[in-house]
């Protein structure tokens, strides 16, 4: 595989990761935190209604987890395609 094809593959995998993480972000912030709040409030998590929890604490926790997973995946992808920085 030539270098140009390798970089195209790298970019394709990068876009796949970005789409996956944006999908999770949209689900957590817009769906769980705004649109489905009333349905989620029927359930409790740590004594708080689940919709309220997602809108305040859950989305922040999930965003931090997304950042950590994204960094780990991108570092692995950079190593795989030999585009990493020391």
């Amino acid at each position: 595989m030539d270098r140009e094809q390798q970089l195209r593959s790298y970019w394709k995998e990068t876009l796949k990761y970005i789409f996956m993480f944006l999908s999770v972000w949209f689900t957590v912030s817009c769906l769980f935190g705004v649109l489905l709040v009333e349905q989620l409030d029927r359930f409790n998590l740590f004594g708080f209604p689940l919709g309220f929890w997602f809108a305040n604490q859950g989305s922040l926790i999930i965003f931090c987890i997304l950042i950590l997973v994204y960094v780990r995946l991108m570092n692995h992808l950079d190593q795989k395609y030999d585009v990493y920085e020391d």
Side-chain angles (χ1 to χ4, degrees):
M1 180 183 303
D2 67 336
R3 185 69 177 164
E4 186 175 327
Q5 183 63 32
Q6 188 179 18
L7 292 176
R8 284 188 184 146
S9 297
Y10 171 79
W11 184 239
K12 188 175 180 179
E13 284 190 58
T14 300
L15 290 176
K16 180 180 75 170
Y17 288 152
I18 290 171
F19 179 75
M20 285 182 347
F21 285 104
L22 284 176
S23 299
V24 172
W25 169 81
F26 175 79
T27 301
V28 170
S29 64
C30 293
L31 293 182
F32 292 168
V34 177
L35 299 175
L36 300 175
V37 168
E38 293 178 12
Q39 291 85 355
L40 291 173
D41 279 345
R42 296 181 201 154
F43 306 99
N44 286 327
L45 182 65
F46 303 116
F48 297 99
L50 189 58
F52 173 81
W53 187 84
F54 264 110
N56 292 286
Q57 298 298 325
S59 58
L60 294 174
I61 293 168
I62 295 194
F63 294 159
C64 290
I65 292 170
L66 282 176
I67 291 168
L68 294 174
V69 172
Y70 179 78
V71 167
R72 184 176 171 106
L73 285 174
M74 288 308 295
N75 283 338
H76 176 70
L77 193 64
D78 289 351
Q79 294 283 336
K80 177 180 174 183
Y81 287 100
D82 194 32
V83 293
Y84 60 94
E85 297 176 9
D86 289 329

